[in-house]
């Protein structure tokens, strides 16, 4: 079977890698491979910390994918996979009430999370913090290293598939619903998000998710000295411009959490376009007998790459997927 994958982000490349391993003839098509949202993403693998009320099906899919990440990463080599866990911290009374709400949500869903003194785990955090939660099962990976490793293993071409393709997989992220695209009409929209990269000698090992005076920030340390800080959320169409307000708010909030960041070098400010859907869950499944959707992963693209690659490959081989895909059917909104 000859398969064309449209879109060389982490989803499209992961699908292609798994499909190639299954013996299929696969080529990925993208004029700017690995330059979209995946290249901007921080790489948090956080099914627990990113669990939200009403998203039970997405949580199940996320937990299944997180469980596959160690093997997935091992197959790609050194891609910055770390299992130190995630630390959620708060400062004000309102922040602590948000952490208490999250802790109750995690308890209701039997998710691992424990109340901790954040500075006992990370002494360099600001002493003004008043509480924290540890989610030990939430890990991280470096998406840029993942993308580089996948590109070494997957053939990528510019333009559009030629004749003779049996199945096309749509993995074009935020562009999947854009009028005039290869496949129009999918309920996917771009959600603008700004992310900063700093460089220094981070003293922390956990991913930090801070709730500070009603503002939210994450801080992701890498072993090579890079620290990723994010992320804003805005509806700005397909614009990827970085705003002064976004950079200021991210830096101010991050430094409130981890004061040492004020001395770091700011090396990059980028904006990416998350592929959002009406219910924040991806579109995975057949559009017709020759077209598969694998898009709309919103803020979970990196986390969901292994499970998406697995189930899309199963569909290509006309096998039963390992998870129920009914909640993620592309036509569920029509």
């Amino acid at each position: 079977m000859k398969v064309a994958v449209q879109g060389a982000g982490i989803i499209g490349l992961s699908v292609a890698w798994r499909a190639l391993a299954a013996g299929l003839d696969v080529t990925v098509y993208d004029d700017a491979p690995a330059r979209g949202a995946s290249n901007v993403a921080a790489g948090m693998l956080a099914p627990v910390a990113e669990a939200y009320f009403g998203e039970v099906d997405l949580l199940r899919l996320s937990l299944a994918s997180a469980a596959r990440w160690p093997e997935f990463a091992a197959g790609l080599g050194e891609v910055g996979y770390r299992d130190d866990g995630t630390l959620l911290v708060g400062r004000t009374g309102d922040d602590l009430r948000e952490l208490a709400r999250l802790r109750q949500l995690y308890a209701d869903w039997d998710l691992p999370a424990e109340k901790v003194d954040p500075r006992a785990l990370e002494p360099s955090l600001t002493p003004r913090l008043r509480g924290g939660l540890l989610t030990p099962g939430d890990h991280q990976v470096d998406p840029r290293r993942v993308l580089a490793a996948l590109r070494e293993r997957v053939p990528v071409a510019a333009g559009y598939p030629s004749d003779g393709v049996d199945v096309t997989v749509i993995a074009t992220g935020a562009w999947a619903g854009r009028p005039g695209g290869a496949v129009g009409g999918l309920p996917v929209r771009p959600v603008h998000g700004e992310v900063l990269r700093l460089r220094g000698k981070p003293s922390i090992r956990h991913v930090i998710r801070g709730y500070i005076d009603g503002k939210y920030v994450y801080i992701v340390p890498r072993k090579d000295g890079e620290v990723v800080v994010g992320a804003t959320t805005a509806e700005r169409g397909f614009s990827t411009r970085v705003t002064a307000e976004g950079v200021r708010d991210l830096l101010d909030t991050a430094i409130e959490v981890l004061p040492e960041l004020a001395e770091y070098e700011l090396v990059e400010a980028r904006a990416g376009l998350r592929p959002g859907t009406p219910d924040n869950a991806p579109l995975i499944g057949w559009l017709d007998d020759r077209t598969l959707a694998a898009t709309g992963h919103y803020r979970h693209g990196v986390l969901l790459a292994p499970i998406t690659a697995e189930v899309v490959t199963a569909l290509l081989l006309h096998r039963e997927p390992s998870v129920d895909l009914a909640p993620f059917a592309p036509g569920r909104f029509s």
Side-chain angles (χ1 to χ4, degrees), residues 192-262:
H192 183 276
E194 292 159 300
V195 175
L196 311 178
R197 281 174 164 80
L198 292 77
R199 185 160 295 279
K201 295 181 179 179
S203 61
I204 58 172
R205 61 187 181 88
H206 296 86
V207 172
I208 309 296
R209 301 173 74 100
Y211 297 85
I212 305 296
D213 297 329
K215 294 183 178 180
Y216 164 73
V217 70
Y218 59 70
I219 303 168
V220 184
R222 308 266 196 241
K223 289 184 177 179
D224 64 0
E226 179 179 83
V227 177
V228 185
V229 174
T232 64
T233 300
E235 302 282 348
R236 293 194 175 120
F238 287 90
S239 169
T240 56
R241 68 185 182 92
V242 176
T243 67
E245 179 183 31
V247 173
R248 180 201 64 194
D249 287 350
L250 288 174
L251 285 177
D252 284 351
T253 309
I255 291 169
E256 284 283 342
V257 176
L258 184 63
E260 69 185 47
L261 293 179

Side-chain angles (χ1 to χ4, degrees), residues 24-259:
L24 300 176
D25 179 3
V26 186
T27 301
V28 180
Y29 292 85
D30 197 320
D31 291 335
R35 299 302 301 170
S38 304
N39 188 263
V40 179
M44 294 178 296
L45 310 176
V48 178
E50 293 196 348
Y52 289 89
F53 180 80
E55 296 182 358
V56 178
D57 293 319
L58 179 57
L59 172 63
R60 292 194 186 102
L61 190 70
S62 298
L63 289 169
S65 198
R68 287 158 171 78
W69 252 108
E71 180 181 356
F72 192 82
L76 292 173
E78 178 47 57
V79 290
Y81 181 81
R82 295 180 62 176
D83 60 359
D84 301 288
T86 294
L87 184 59
L88 290 73
V89 300
R91 186 175 70 184
T92 68
D94 287 342
D95 300 333
L96 295 182
R97 281 186 282 276
E98 174 62 14
L99 292 184
R101 185 193 69 81
L102 291 173
R103 187 184 182 198
Q104 184 59 56
L105 177 67
Y106 303 156
D108 291 343
W109 288 348
D110 197 26
L111 299 174
E114 59 180 296
K115 190 175 180 179
V116 296
D117 174 0
R119 296 192 73 240
L121 297 178
E122 297 289 5
S124 58
L125 295 175
T126 177
R128 300 175 68 189
L129 295 175
R130 294 172 55 195
L133 290 176
L134 177 66
T135 56
D138 286 351
H139 302 157
Q140 66 151 298
V141 73
D142 186 338
R144 292 181 174 179
R145 292 189 180 189
V146 174
L147 290 169
L150 287 169
R151 288 198 64 190
E152 291 177 354
R153 293 162 171 79
V154 173
V156 180
Y160 291 95
S162 58
D163 295 336
V165 172
D166 297 299
V167 177
T168 299
V169 179
I170 306 301
T172 49
W175 284 265
R178 190 171 191 175
V183 174
L186 292 179
V188 180
R189 74 188 192 285
V191 182
H192 183 276
E194 292 159 300
V195 175
L196 311 178
R197 281 174 164 80
L198 292 77
R199 185 160 295 279
K201 295 181 179 179
S203 61
I204 58 172
R205 61 187 181 88
H206 296 86
V207 172
I208 309 296
R209 301 173 74 100
Y211 297 85
I212 305 296
D213 297 329
K215 294 183 178 180
Y216 164 73
V217 70
Y218 59 70
I219 303 168
V220 184
R222 308 266 196 241
K223 289 184 177 179
D224 64 0
E226 179 179 83
V227 177
V228 185
V229 174
T232 64
T233 300
E235 302 282 348
R236 293 194 175 120
F238 287 90
S239 169
T240 56
R241 68 185 182 92
V242 176
T243 67
E245 179 183 31
V247 173
R248 180 201 64 194
D249 287 350
L250 288 174
L251 285 177
D252 284 351
T253 309
I255 291 169
E256 284 283 342
V257 176
L258 184 63

Side-chain angles (χ1 to χ4, degrees), residues 166-170 183 285-293:
D166 297 299
V167 177
T168 299
V169 179
I170 306 301
V183 174
W286 292 101
L287 296 172
D288 56 48
D289 59 3
R290 296 187 61 185
T291 313
L292 267 168

